[in-house]
Amino acid sequence: MEPWKLEPARDTGLTPSERFRSVRRESGLLESLAHHVCFSMLRSYFAIAHRLTIIGRDKLPAHGPFVLAANHCSHLDALILGAALTPRHRERAFPIAAGDVFFQSNVTSTFSAIMLNALPMWRKNCGPHALADLRRKLQEEKAIFIIFPEGGRSRTGSMMPFKHGLGMLVAQTNVPVVPCGLVGTFEALPPHRRLPQPVAIKLVLGDALQFASTANDRTGWSQIAAQVESSVGDLVTQSRTA
Amino acid sequence: MATLSFLCYREYARITGLFRERTISLIVVIGILFITFAALDNWYRLFVALFPLTVALIATGGLIPDQPKGYIQRVGLGVLGFALFGSALGNLGYMANDWNYRPILLLIIFAVELNDIFAYICGYLFGHRKFVPNTSPNKTVAGALGAIVLTTPLFALGAHFVWFGTALDTPVRLLGLGVIVSVVGQFGDLMLSSIKRDLGLKDTAKLIPGHGGILDRFDSLILVAPAMFHYVNYFVGFAAGQPQRIFSGWEI
């Protein structure tokens, strides 16, 4: 635990709607309770409706900061990864969600922030400062990020190439990246469907990857993206065949 | 009143960073809930007992993280938070048990707001000497004195009608109450200025456009509530003749 500091919340001075969309947001007592209740209920839902099996849960680091990187083909993905975390982890877990989907209106941004603790990533005009802010948050707040490096949901169910953004968050840091393979979410709720089908879902966690010695430049980021992509790809094939 | 207490405590906890201490924050919130219950129930003994009991609980809750470094700061902030927004503001809630509660509460709120306005106007017209330049550079001695001179008789007049014919209704006692409201109201204002200056902030939140947070609006009320409550309680008492322990009074 960190030493005590008399330090105002990092989001002090923001209006409520700015705060919900801000990366500087820090949850209070009621919001934390809302995340816990929401993810506990989701966990029960996935266990009952989707017979969710989690393999390799012991590979999660004991505490933050770390990043969960997974393949993405459904809105259920982030919810499953959030629900797979222990209650102690959930306090600091932030799904990184598309700003243009989850933070466009006040209603959706309030829901995403209060219930899911999501942080926005603006896909069209996200400058390097947005990733720099996330990189700082990850280390300073010992946060846990849930990231889908494909940059969007796959429309076919097969994995798309990973983008560099993940590399910009973890290159030259001691933050481990846990690759996760999700199987069954495309069948349960593909992008063109509105309601989920009761299909079995499997989540496989791989060994954490470290990138402390990978350069924090374009080549390093590509290396990281490629390495995580191949790990996630392996996990997906492995769980499909198992 | 409970909503006001919670909103004020929330802003306080966020600007001081106390919200990161979940156990202490939770105990303060539970304390405020109990104070509200005691006020609603008109159970004075519980109301009085809650302050030391909650302080004891906060001191115990501070032990849970097993991290002595910063214990005094964490527990100190928690106790101050409960004292100001639970206990002190709770007095305002308890006053609402009086049969005559509407004029009492209106009188206090008007007096405190007018007090701020008088201080501003007098300071603007006659203010030369700074009062406490390091805490609040805009406050002047003339403003502070002017507010006392103007608020006291006005409040005394209002109080004369509210507590007509009671033990409090003598000129000296009424003027004494007026001075307390005016002086303590200004101290409340300065207290919040000190807290904000210590943290390097201008406003406690950005909730109401142009006004800052709830705490910025109700700062003067926080200290006035207990001072006035006990002054009036000494002479007259609140909620005299009202049913006691409305909810918890059943016999076992």
Side-chain angles (χ1 to χ4, degrees):
Chain A
M1 205 178 164
E2 308 93 86
W4 167 259
K5 270 189 297 186
L6 188 67
E7 185 192 307
R10 291 187 173 90
D11 51 36
T12 306
L14 300 179
T15 62
S17 76
E18 284 170 352
R19 188 177 159 259
F20 288 143
R21 292 185 172 91
S22 170
V23 173
R24 286 188 280 157
R25 189 180 70 232
E26 285 189 86
S27 298
L29 200 60
L30 282 179
E31 286 163 334
S32 288
L33 188 71
H35 315 324
H36 276 297
V37 170
C38 176
F39 281 108
S40 306
M41 279 164 53
L42 281 169
R43 192 169 175 134
S44 315
Y45 162 74
F46 285 123
I48 296 164
H50 297 281
R51 286 162 284 144
L52 175 67
T53 26
I54 304 170
I55 300 165
R57 204 165 174 221
D58 52 314
K59 288 176 181 159
L60 286 174
H63 50 77
F66 64 86
V67 173
L68 293 177
N71 57 322
H72 195 21
C73 36
S74 162
H75 279 322
L76 296 179
D77 296 345
L79 307 180
I80 292 170
L81 290 178
L85 292 170
T86 59
R88 192 176 277 273
H89 280 135
R90 262 177 228 153
E91 180 89 348
R92 287 167 193 233
F94 299 90
I96 310 290
D100 45 286
V101 178
F102 292 94
F103 290 89
Q104 199 66 273
S105 75
N106 279 337
V107 177
T108 53
S109 66
T110 308
F111 174 80
S112 312
I114 292 184
M115 301 307 285
L116 308 177
N117 205 17
L119 295 177
M121 170 55 58
W122 302 93
R123 290 189 282 201
K124 292 200 179 76
N125 50 359
C126 131
H129 66 276
L131 283 161
D133 286 347
L134 285 175
R135 187 181 158 103
R136 202 175 315 121
K137 186 182 182 83
L138 189 60
Q139 292 175 54
E140 281 177 5
E141 295 181 24
K142 301 203 181 346
I144 298 164
F145 284 177
I146 296 171
I147 288 183
F148 302 103
E150 289 165 75
R153 285 170 296 161
S154 159
R155 297 302 193 260
T156 57
S158 56
M159 236 166 79
M160 300 187 290
F162 278 20
K163 295 190 172 173
H164 292 172
L166 171 65
M168 294 165 87
L169 295 178
V170 295
Q172 262 179 2
T173 65
N174 287 320
V175 178
V177 178
V178 182
C180 310
L182 278 160
V183 176
T185 53
F186 183 76
E187 290 73 17
L189 183 67
H192 58 267
R193 270 212 139 94
R194 292 185 75 86
L195 288 172
Q197 304 293 307
V199 175
I201 294 174
K202 199 189 268 182
L203 165 65
V204 190
L205 295 127
D207 290 315
L209 306 168
Q210 292 275 0
F211 298 102
S213 52
T214 312
N216 188 15
D217 56 18
R218 199 160 273 280
T219 344
W221 303 335
S222 311
Q223 272 176 22
I224 295 173
Q227 202 177 332
V228 177
E229 186 179 340
S230 77
S231 304
V232 173
D234 289 348
L235 291 170
V236 172
T237 3
Q238 180 195 321
S239 53
R240 270 194 213 285
T241 48
Chain B
M1 279 320 303
T3 315
L4 181 64
S5 295
F6 281 128
L7 287 174
C8 286
Y9 174 68
R10 181 178 171 272
E11 282 180 10
Y12 165 85
R14 290 200 79 82
I15 60 169
T16 54
L18 184 65
F19 75 101
R20 296 188 189 99
E21 300 297 324
R22 298 287 197 240
T23 320
I24 293 181
S25 240
L26 186 68
I27 295 171
V28 175
V29 167
I30 293 173
I32 295 177
L33 278 175
F34 267 90
I35 281 266
T36 311
F37 173 75
L40 273 176
D41 196 31
N42 199 7
W43 187 0
Y44 189 68
R45 283 182 177 175
L46 176 69
F47 185 74
V48 175
L50 274 171
F51 183 69
L53 290 180
T54 313
V55 169
L57 255 183
I58 293 172
T60 317
L63 300 171
I64 290 177
D66 189 24
Q67 206 207 14
K69 198 92 194 129
Y71 176 81
I72 300 175
Q73 286 93 327
R74 292 196 304 266
V75 170
L77 276 175
V79 170
L80 180 65
F82 181 71
L84 294 179
F85 312 111
S87 194
L89 272 182
N91 281 297
L92 213 57
Y94 202 89
M95 283 183 208
N97 280 327
D98 203 88
W99 66 274
N100 204 14
Y101 71 98
R102 285 190 193 93
I104 296 178
L105 291 182
L106 273 179
L107 182 68
I108 300 172
I109 291 167
F110 268 110
V112 166
E113 291 299 318
L114 272 179
N115 196 33
D116 284 352
I117 296 167
F118 286 148
Y120 175 76
I121 294 173
C122 294
Y124 185 76
L125 292 177
F126 316 108
H128 299 293
R129 268 199 22 224
K130 298 279 183 210
F131 185 31
V132 272
N134 293 329
T135 306
S136 185
N138 294 331
K139 302 260 186 314
T140 59
V141 177
L145 292 177
I148 297 173
V149 170
L150 290 172
T151 310
T152 305
L154 263 178
F155 186 86
L157 185 70
H160 164 67
F161 291 111
V162 173
W163 284 285
F164 190 77
T166 63
L168 190 65
D169 193 18
T170 69
V172 177
R173 287 174 183 176
L174 288 175
L175 287 173
L177 185 56
V179 172
I180 286 179
V181 169
S182 177
V183 172
V184 177
Q186 297 187 51
F187 281 146
D189 205 354
L190 290 175
M191 173 195 70
L192 193 75
S193 298
S194 281
I195 292 179
K196 286 192 290 191
R197 207 148 278 265
D198 194 3
L199 294 161
L201 297 172
K202 196 182 163 293
D203 286 327
T204 54
K206 217 173 179 184
L207 210 61
I208 321 164
H211 286 272
I214 302 275
L215 204 46
D216 295 302
R217 279 293 80 208
F218 291 96
D219 51 359
S220 319
L221 210 58
I222 297 167
L223 299 185
V224 166
M228 188 180 148
F229 179 89
H230 290 290
Y231 186 88
V232 175
N233 204 21
Y234 180 73
F235 292 110
V236 191
F238 277 104
Q242 297 290 314
Q244 305 243 325
R245 298 188 59 176
I246 302 167
F247 301 107
S248 60
W250 37 266
E251 297 290 325
I252 300 169

